Amino acid sequence: MYNNVLVPVVFEPEDLAKRALVTARHLAGTDGTVTALHVIEQLPSYATQYVPSDILQQNRTELAAALHEMAETVGAGAQLVSGHASRTILDTAQELSADCIVIASHRPGLQDYLIGGTAAHIVRHATCAVHVLR
């Protein structure tokens, strides 16, 4: 069992995020802590001038509500942060002293082998255990 499990969440049509949270809860048991994390990628400054600021805030509020609702289903905490996905996930894992990261991953395509996906970056650079779900 793990004491502190971090689950990066991406809102996609598949139920991978929910499966990751359920898996994390099983790995943490009843005494462990599970934290759902969603990272909002920052828009380049040249793009933000074309998006009304109230829309950005509204999206953030809606994402926070959806994240909290999803996390509550397994008794997890939730954090919504901004930044670069893989770097922010790794930094948050260290800040929370996570001993495990449970991350969902899509089936890799050619672009993932050439560029590298978020899950692959987490696996290579995490200082704790990483469970990848497909």
Side-chain angles (χ1 to χ4, degrees):
M1 294 288 173
Y2 294 99
N3 295 317
N4 194 351
V5 182
L6 179 65
V7 183
V9 171
V10 176
F11 294 99
E12 293 181 338
E14 300 111 16
D15 283 344
L16 291 174
K18 291 177 185 175
R19 283 184 43 224
L21 282 167
V22 169
T23 300
R25 175 47 62 206
H26 287 295
L27 291 171
T30 55
D31 295 333
T33 301
V34 176
T35 304
L37 173 73
H38 180 74
V39 180
I40 298 174
E41 293 274 349
Q42 294 177 336
L43 290 175
S45 58
Y46 63 84
T48 57
Q49 65 184 340
Y50 299 107
V51 180
S53 61
D54 60 326
I55 295 293
L56 294 175
Q57 185 56 44
Q58 179 182 351
N59 287 346
R60 188 175 186 86
T61 302
E62 290 172 3
L63 282 170
L67 181 64
H68 284 281
E69 182 180 327
M70 186 184 296
E72 284 178 356
T73 63
V74 296
Q79 285 192 19
L80 182 71
V81 296
S82 297
H84 180 267
S86 57
R87 185 74 255 150
T88 303
I89 292 165
L90 292 169
D91 290 346
T92 303
Q94 284 198 326
E95 290 168 13
L96 296 176
S97 300
D99 51 357
C100 181
I101 299 171
V102 176
I103 188 166
S105 177
H106 61 281
R107 296 254 180 237
L110 183 58
Q111 73 277 9
D112 294 311
Y113 290 112
L114 298 176
I115 300 170
T118 301
H121 191 264
I122 300 299
V123 168
R124 284 192 307 269
H125 298 285
T127 58
C128 61
V130 179
H131 291 265
V132 180
L133 300 179
R134 293 203 182 196

